[in-house]
């Protein structure tokens, strides 16, 4: 066996670039400049050695939890799936625009899988036949593919990304829900080990099916989701499912605003009426609302086929109205804070009423059906609140708490799927004592975005000087940098000492020696850019008094230490990072 060599940066391909002369640099740009990855095509990246080390550590951390804490078995399914299988589950049509589809020489349709519910269900259906074959917990960590309309923010929304996906198969709903709870617990442990302040938010299931799901969100202004959390109890939900408690009322002499939306088929114009200004019920400053405060989720609960991407709905609708042939509709949705008399004034089709868009006369006078909705059609007791939950609103779950609304990025998702896929794909088990009867298996699926965590950590923890990795996923935990005139044997001795700390304190410490032929300031700048958590320097202090300098930018530590103090100091830093 080849003995483990001393890790030397001179042997690692680590192509860093110079800092750009001007402009703000985001985490993605830093990942490229620090030599972790390079873009190859739109939304597709090559991982270079340091990026690959981060990915490997993260994959190992997640796999360890799957195997040890959940007794899940690791598989590796092919990235190629068939269109006919996806047709069976009904998702070929639903997700068509985002699938990378292709056909082979015999004209059979395939796709590059964005997720593997179909394939794994078909696989398990062939092998597990009775309740004795279950439970099954299978996971993999593999590249997935999604042809994003607008790939952006580097690893945060790429077209090829690495994901951990776990699929669970149980024989009853009770045991499937127990599985769900155990996975949730393990997810918290995974994010805790990376020391990431992730919030587990109640979520909706979207097109995955099932009715129980949670999202794991990292609060950051760069996020595209909104998470609502209480400052007093453990209520956390994503904006789509968060419940609101009305915390304000319109100020007297009310004025209102209207936002116009349109349905995907362009026949229905949606007027969303909301107050311009309100007064919080418990006093406090007046609140002013604009179109950005409208809860699109709430509007969509009334108008499911709303096209949320349209900025100027009126011309599209008037074109449809003028073309004739199809019935056009005008739907008024009124926020509960506006008085009933306001809703009443909207009924009718005369251009004088406020609901009628000014300057709009359908050319051939097509009849327009006008309606008003001012109640919540799903829950008559819940007022129709068209304004997004605001920081400071009351908590729906406890008496004293106030909500915080913040932007966040989704890093993981758990779904209880029930029989959504097992039924469609024939994954059934025979009922004990009645072998003529078969029932569908109870499933769950659980994702963690590996690539996305790398991108998110880069964005969230970076600073002016460079990246900043949590020690659990850093490319190396510690780098030893030596200045001119220092004997390399001394640096090697420090390397051995630090390695020993890991062994004695049972910590995973991977040390690397920066032996590149560059100046000390250059190497220190490079170490900061790459974001090694702990930097140990043998510089002038070493030559003068055999003292090392230990630096940790993230914790604001910079101190001179004797070599004998190293175990205690590095052990402590490692624990805090
Ligand atoms: Zn609360």
């Amino acid at each position: 066996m080849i003995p483990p060599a001393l890790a030397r940066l001179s042997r690692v391909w680590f192509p860093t670039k110079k800092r750009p002369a001007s402009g703000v640099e985001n985490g993605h740009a830093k990942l490229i400049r620090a030599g972790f990855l390079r873009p190859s095509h739109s939304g597709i990246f090559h991982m270079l050695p340091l990026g690959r080390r981060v990915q490997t550590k993260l994959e190992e951390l997640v796999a360890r939890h799957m195997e040890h804490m959940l007794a899940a078995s690791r598989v590796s399914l092919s990235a190629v799936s068939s269109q006919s299988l996806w047709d069976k589950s009904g998702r070929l049509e639903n997700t068509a625009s985002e699938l990378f589809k292709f056909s082979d020489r015999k004209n059979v349709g395939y796709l590059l899988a964005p997720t593997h519910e179909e394939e794994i269900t078909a696989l398990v259906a062939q092998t597990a036949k009775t309740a004795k074959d279950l439970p099954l917990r299978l996971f993999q960590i593999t590249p997935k593919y999604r042809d994003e309309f607008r790939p952006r923010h580097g690893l945060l929304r790429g077209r090829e990304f690495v994901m951990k996906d776990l699929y669970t198969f149980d024989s009853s709903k009770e045991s499937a829900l127990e599985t769900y709870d155990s996975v949730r617990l393990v997810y918290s442990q995974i994010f805790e080990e990376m020391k990431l302040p992730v919030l587990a938010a109640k979520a909706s299931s979207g097109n995955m099916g099932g009715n129980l799901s949670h999202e794991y969100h990292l609060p950051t202004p760069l996020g595209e989701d909104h998470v609502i959390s209480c400052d007093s109890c453990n209520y956390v939900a994503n904006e789509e499912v968060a419940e609101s408690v009305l915390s304000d009322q319109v100020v007297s002499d009310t004025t209102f605003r209207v936002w116009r939306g349109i349905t995907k088929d362009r026949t229905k114009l949606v007027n969303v009426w909301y107050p311009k200004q309100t007064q919080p019920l418990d006093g406090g400053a007046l609140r002013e609302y604009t179109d950005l405060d409208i809860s699109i989720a709430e509007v969509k609960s009334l108008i499911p086929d709303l096209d949320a991407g349209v900025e100027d709905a009126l011309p599209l609708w008037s074109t449809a109205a003028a073309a004739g042939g199809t019935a056009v509709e005008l739907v008024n949705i009124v926020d509960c804070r506006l008085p009933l008399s306001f809703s009443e004034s909207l009924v009718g089709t005369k251009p004088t009423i406020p609901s009628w868009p000014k300057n709009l006369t359908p050319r051939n006078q097509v009849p327009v059906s006008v309606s008003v909705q001012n109640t919540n059609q799903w829950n008559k007791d819940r007022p129709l609140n068209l304004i997004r939950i605001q920081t400071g609103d009351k908590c729906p779950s406890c008496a004293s708490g106030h909500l915080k609304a913040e932007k966040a990025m989704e890093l993981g998702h758990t779904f209880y799927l029930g029989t959504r896929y097992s039924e469609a794909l024939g994954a059934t088990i025979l009922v004990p004592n009645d072998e003529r009867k078969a029932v569908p298996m109870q499933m769950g699926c659980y994702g963690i975005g590996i690539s996305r965590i790398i991108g998110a950590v880069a964005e969230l923890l970076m600073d002016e000087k460079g990246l900043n990795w949590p020690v659990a996923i850093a490319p190396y935990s510690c780098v030893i940098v030596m200045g001119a005139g220092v004997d390399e044997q001394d640096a090697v001795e420090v390397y051995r000492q630090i390695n020993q700390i890991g062994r004695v304190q049972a910590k995973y410490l991977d040390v690397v020696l920066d032996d590149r032929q560059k100046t000390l300031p250059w190497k220190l700048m490079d170490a900061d850019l790459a974001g090694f958590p702990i930097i140990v320097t043998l510089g002038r202090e070493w030559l003068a008094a055999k003292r090392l300098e230990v630096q940790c930018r993230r914790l604001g530590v910079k101190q001179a230490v004797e070599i004998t103090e190293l175990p205690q100091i590095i052990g402590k830093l490692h624990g805090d990072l």
Side-chain angles (χ1 to χ4, degrees), residues 414-433:
T414 53
F415 294 101
Y416 161 63
L417 296 170
T419 59
R420 159 79 175 84
Y421 295 91
S422 50
E423 216 164 313
L425 298 162
T428 57
I429 43 165
L430 296 171
V431 177
N433 309 322

Side-chain angles (χ1 to χ4, degrees), residues 7 50 53-54 57 469-480 498-499 502 507-513 527 530-536 550-553 570 573-575 577:
L50 289 198
R53 283 186 76 89
V54 172
K57 277 198 184 175
W469 300 100
V471 84
I473 59 168
Y476 292 96
S477 339
C478 177
V479 62
I480 298 167
I498 297 174
N499 249 342
K507 284 179 170 138
Y508 182 71
L509 261 167
D510 53 346
V511 200
V512 67
L513 182 65
F532 302 121
I534 303 168
I535 304 174
V536 176
V550 174
Q551 278 187 54
C552 171
R553 201 164 92 247
I570 291 195
L573 289 178
H574 190 280
L577 276 160

Side-chain angles (χ1 to χ4, degrees), residues 230 232-233 235 395 397-398 401:
C230 175
S232 155
C233 72
Y235 181 81
C395 173
S397 161
C398 71

Side-chain angles (χ1 to χ4, degrees), residues 229-236 394-403:
S229 56
C230 175
D231 62 6
S232 155
C233 72
N234 58 6
Y235 181 81
V236 187
K394 279 200 176 135
C395 173
S397 161
C398 71
S400 57
H402 288 86
L403 298 177

Side-chain angles (χ1 to χ4, degrees), residues 516-554:
R516 294 175 294 175
Q517 297 301 309
K518 296 278 188 179
T519 64
L520 182 68
W522 187 94
K523 287 199 267 192
L524 286 174
M525 225 156 71
D526 231 31
D528 273 338
L529 173 63
F532 302 121
I534 303 168
I535 304 174
V536 176
T537 312
L538 289 85
R540 262 186 230 143
E541 278 273 313
W542 178 262
L543 294 174
K546 289 272 179 270
R547 279 151 71 86
L548 303 151
E549 191 181 67
V550 174
Q551 278 187 54
C552 171
R553 201 164 92 247
R554 205 169 149 209

